[in-house]
Each structure stands twice: as structure tokens, then as C-alpha cells.
Amino acid sequence: MEKKIMVSSPIMMILVIKSKSVDAITCEEALTRLMPGQLFLTSEAFLPISPCCLAVANINAGSTTTSICRSLCRRFQQAASGLGVSPDKAKELSQLCGVSTTVAIDPTINCNS
């Protein structure tokens, strides 16, 4: 099933995301939850806002299996390229939010490892 999500930002963008269930959290849910971090991830903000950090913590809590982590990692990579996410900002996100994540929010990582 394809879903379109309208993202509000300085430039309106539309993400087309295939909804894929990954047990505790779907990839679509994870990406939607991360939308408050878009300004930070695209280098427009210096620090992530608290709703973004809460999303990171919630996504981490829902990432309970290797399969979920790999699926989320792949979806994050796909979305990152379409949104112009800064790889450096993505790598900093969990540390700045004080969350030790099981899923790297990093568009350059190998999702199979």
C-alpha cells in the first residue's frame, strides 16, 4: 500500500513511502515520527527540538529485533536522500538527544551489519 505524506517545511515536499510493517513499529510510523527533526537533519537548525528527541527514543523502543532495525535503517536511507538530510547531522542526532539507539539514523551506514 502506498501512502503520501505531506511534509511542512520551507519548501513543501511529498514523500512517497511504501508502508511495510516491522512488528512493533512500521517504517511509515518511524518516518512520520521523525518529521519534527527535519529542520535539524537538513542543517537548518543547530540542535534538535524535544519532539524530535522523543521520536528518536520512541523509535528506538520499537526497534526490538534485527529485522526491524534493518528495515528501519533502509527506510531512513531512502527518505534521507529525498529530503536532503545531512549525514553528519543524522549521525549526531541520537547523541544530542541522549538516546543510545539500536537503529542508526545514518544515511551512509551499511544496514546489513
Side-chain angles (χ1 to χ4, degrees), residues 40 47-48 53 56 88-101 103 105:
F40 171 76
L47 293 171
C53 290
V56 172
D88 291 335
K89 291 279 193 139
K91 291 175 191 176
E92 294 176 319
L93 185 58
S94 63
Q95 179 184 0
L96 290 173
C97 289
V99 178
S100 178
T101 60
V103 178
I105 301 173

Side-chain angles (χ1 to χ4, degrees), residues 26-49:
T26 67
C27 294
E28 181 180 84
E29 289 170 334
L31 290 173
T32 300
R33 288 179 185 179
L34 276 178
M35 285 299 119
Q38 183 179 358
L39 290 177
F40 171 76
L41 291 169
T42 58
S43 295
E44 296 180 37
F46 184 69
L47 293 171
I49 58 175

Side-chain angles (χ1 to χ4, degrees), residues 39-97:
L39 290 177
F40 171 76
L41 291 169
T42 58
S43 295
E44 296 180 37
F46 184 69
L47 293 171
I49 58 175
S50 59
C52 176
C53 290
L54 180 60
V56 172
N58 288 336
I59 291 166
N60 189 58
S63 305
T64 56
T65 68
T66 301
S67 176
I68 292 170
C69 292
R70 286 184 178 153
S71 293
L72 289 172
C73 178
R74 288 183 194 106
R75 292 295 187 248
F76 291 155
Q77 286 181 336
Q78 291 170 350
S81 65
L83 292 172
V85 169
S86 163
D88 291 335
K89 291 279 193 139
K91 291 175 191 176
E92 294 176 319
L93 185 58
S94 63
Q95 179 184 0
L96 290 173
C97 289

